[in-house]
Amino acid sequence: MEKNYRPDTLCVQAGYSPKSGEARIPPIVQSTTYAYEKAQDMADLFDLKTDGYFYSRLANPTVAAFEGKVAALERGVCAIGCASGMSATALMVMTVAGAGDNVVSSSAIYGGSYNLFSVTLPKLGIECRFFDPDAPAEEIEKLIDGKTKLIFTETIANPSIVVLDFDKFASISKKYGVLFAVDNTLATPILCRPKDWGANLVVHSSSKYLDGHAAALGGVIVDLGNFDFKNNPRYPSFNQPDESYHGLVYADLPVAFGTKCRAQMIRDFGAIMSPQNGFLSYIGCDTLALRMERHSKNAAKIAEYLAHHPKIEWIKHPSLKDNKYYNLAQKYLPDGQGGMMSFGIKGSVEKCAQFMESLKLITQETHVADVRSCVLHPASTTHRQLSEEDLKAAGVPHNLVRLSVGIENADDLIADLEQALEKV
Ligand SMILES: Cc1ncc(COP(=O)(O)O)c(C=O)c1O
């Protein structure tokens, strides 16, 4: 696939090119294994000398079509489809960090990722040090030491809608020779390509906009191919032979991170995307560019409406001129700021429930970022395990309602919000 195609063309065409007489869209290869005639052909696959398939826990042709499409969209060198967004984040971190290491992460991230970093990874000996993404660089730098393997951030944070200041993190990453990883779920490569702003790794919950239809759970890790592991003392596991893989030295390979991630993490944890979900996510991405345009337009119109509503205490959407992140959004998300917003309803927390239960078209869901609009009250659901202090750090006040704006008609959505706010 021609590298210079624009994102909307890549959405439709990248990842799969049929040969004469083959299916036009990727077939669902629902097979755990693959047959070979020559023993040497299989041996070459095991030695990573040739590309191909031998067992679907490591790679599968349908999932590969989806991986190819996302890699092209993010301008990466390799993508790895995972069972979920959470497994993608966990495996990405574990590819570089082990017991005794640490990662530094924005505190304004998805609640599940926060839990992974603050509770589960420490049980494996991986410490996580959180920072306020708006803090000055010097403060964030204080958290980095010789054992820091990764800086973790979100382009548009869920649910606090903080827009990432990429330049700040890219310069910290360069200064310390440490990987800069971005969860690009809520922006997608249509609205922002982290590689253009110095990121080295991207992770997605493809269960969200990439699939777009709330049909397929999945995640994807993208190696952007722009980090030099060679001779970097921070990453001995890339520079020393991997005895579990015939003494391979990952830093010597053209695709260092992606190969290590698949050869070690996918092999040992097995959290790969299923062929069925690979297929759904692949065809879901066909319309990603169109959908992101509509999500963004709808959200901007609704944000403007809510900003002037007397029952709304505050509203956060980066399209609004008085939003704290307006200037960053104009720089990093100039073509649209996505469909996610949050707002606070005036009065007690009970008013949030009253409002949400009165909605007729917009449904209450844990999900976000698909074609149908939905709302959620994070403090009593996704973030309920967080303490008062952690909620504050994650930018989630008690009266926050998260609204994921879909691609319905914006005026129908506004009418639904209007009638529900009347009942509060
Ligand atoms: C920004 C972000 N990252 C990661 C995840 C985790 O993804 P999944 O639910 O696919 O495991 C989510 C889920 O909502 C998310 O919003």
Side-chain angles (χ1 to χ4, degrees):
M1 173 70 41
E2 161 109 38
K3 277 224 155 83
N4 295 328
Y5 284 129
R6 290 168 182 81
D8 33 4
T9 303
L10 294 172
C11 280
V12 181
Q13 298 281 358
Y16 174 74
S17 308
K19 296 191 190 79
S20 185
E22 287 183 352
R24 181 61 191 94
I25 62 169
I28 303 172
V29 180
Q30 194 66 53
S31 179
T32 55
T33 191
Y34 305 83
Y36 286 90
E37 287 172 359
K38 294 204 173 88
Q40 189 57 45
D41 289 350
M42 276 190 89
D44 287 348
L45 283 172
F46 272 92
D47 282 348
L48 303 177
K49 283 187 186 149
T50 53
D51 279 340
Y53 304 96
F54 50 99
Y55 192 49
S56 282
R57 170 155 51 77
L58 283 153
N60 168 278
T62 316
V63 177
F66 171 64
E67 292 168 340
K69 189 178 276 195
V70 179
L73 281 165
E74 292 285 9
R75 305 265 191 240
V77 292
C78 163
I80 297 175
C82 299
S84 64
M86 284 313 303
S87 56
T89 302
L91 296 183
M92 176 181 73
V93 171
M94 288 195 286
T95 300
V96 288
D101 294 330
N102 67 73
V103 295
V104 298
S105 169
S106 165
S107 56
I109 52 173
Y110 167 62
S113 307
Y114 193 93
N115 201 55
L116 170 72
F117 288 157
S118 61
V119 179
T120 303
L121 289 179
K123 286 182 192 160
L124 306 178
I126 301 170
E127 184 198 349
C128 184
R129 302 167 178 179
F130 290 103
F131 56 79
D132 173 350
D134 293 336
E138 310 78 69
E139 232 172 82
I140 296 166
E141 286 173 22
K142 281 187 201 149
L143 302 175
I144 296 175
D145 62 20
K147 290 284 186 185
T148 304
K149 303 292 170 168
L150 193 91
I151 304 171
F152 184 80
T153 56
E154 288 184 11
T155 308
I156 302 174
N158 179 12
S160 55
I161 327 288
V162 170
V163 176
L164 191 69
D165 184 352
F166 277 92
D167 282 352
K168 179 168 72 183
F169 292 97
S171 62
I172 297 175
S173 148
K174 284 216 176 74
K175 186 169 167 187
Y176 292 89
V178 61
L179 284 161
F180 173 21
V182 180
D183 181 333
N184 199 29
T185 299
L186 295 187
T188 81
I190 300 304
L191 301 182
C192 177
R193 238 180 0 234
K195 186 176 185 178
D196 296 346
W197 303 104
N200 310 116
L201 296 169
V202 158
V203 73
H204 282 274
S205 164
S206 61
S207 330
K208 307 296 178 307
Y209 287 126
L210 296 188
D211 160 44
H213 299 80
L217 203 70
V220 60
I221 304 165
V222 190
D223 177 352
L224 298 173
N226 56 355
F227 190 85
D228 193 4
F229 289 96
K230 229 178 157 97
N231 304 320
N232 185 333
R234 197 179 283 286
Y235 298 100
S237 69
F238 280 80
N239 287 298
Q240 287 162 11
D242 175 5
E243 295 313 335
S244 80
Y245 225 103
H246 327 305
L248 203 63
V249 177
Y250 295 104
D252 292 342
L253 303 175
V255 178
F257 185 93
T259 306
K260 186 172 192 281
C261 181
R262 195 182 293 277
Q264 292 182 336
M265 294 301 123
I266 296 290
R267 177 195 65 184
D268 293 355
F269 288 93
I272 196 170
M273 181 177 268
S274 72
Q276 178 75 28
N277 285 348
F279 174 77
L280 290 168
S281 307
Y282 176 91
I283 57 169
C285 276
D286 287 352
T287 54
L288 181 66
L290 285 175
R291 285 188 284 107
M292 292 317 293
E293 191 182 319
R294 182 65 172 262
H295 282 294
S296 299
K297 256 192 195 162
N298 275 0
K301 188 168 182 181
I302 289 168
E304 195 61 41
Y305 158 77
L306 288 174
H308 295 102
H309 199 287
K311 290 187 182 168
I312 299 297
E313 189 175 299
W314 55 266
I315 166 143
K316 289 185 190 170
H317 190 261
S319 64
L320 295 169
K321 288 218 166 71
D322 62 353
N323 183 268
K324 185 175 173 188
Y325 301 101
Y326 178 79
N327 289 333
L328 285 177
Q330 290 302 301
K331 179 173 176 182
Y332 298 116
L333 305 156
D335 298 331
Q337 296 78 39
M340 289 288 302
M341 67 179 68
S342 61
F343 53 87
I345 303 215
K346 280 185 188 162
S348 64
V349 173
E350 287 71 45
K351 303 250 185 226
C352 297
Q354 217 176 4
F355 162 73
M356 295 197 301
E357 284 165 13
S358 305
L359 290 164
K360 291 181 176 149
L361 183 61
I362 302 168
T363 46
Q364 289 190 60
E365 289 171 34
T366 316
H367 206 243
V368 292
D370 68 75
V371 290
R372 282 161 284 270
S373 296
C374 60
V375 284
L376 183 83
H377 183 227
S380 62
T381 52
T382 48
H383 287 59
R384 66 178 297 123
Q385 74 278 16
L386 303 194
S387 67
E388 194 83 14
E389 214 169 81
D390 289 345
L391 278 175
K392 220 171 148 203
V396 183
H398 276 107
N399 69 344
L400 182 152
V401 173
R402 183 177 74 184
L403 170 61
S404 172
V405 178
I407 61 169
E408 303 94 336
N409 184 290
D411 293 334
D412 286 338
L413 295 172
I414 288 174
D416 194 30
L417 293 165
E418 176 89 25
Q419 65 80 25
L421 284 167
E422 267 167 24
K423 303 210 171 75
V424 172

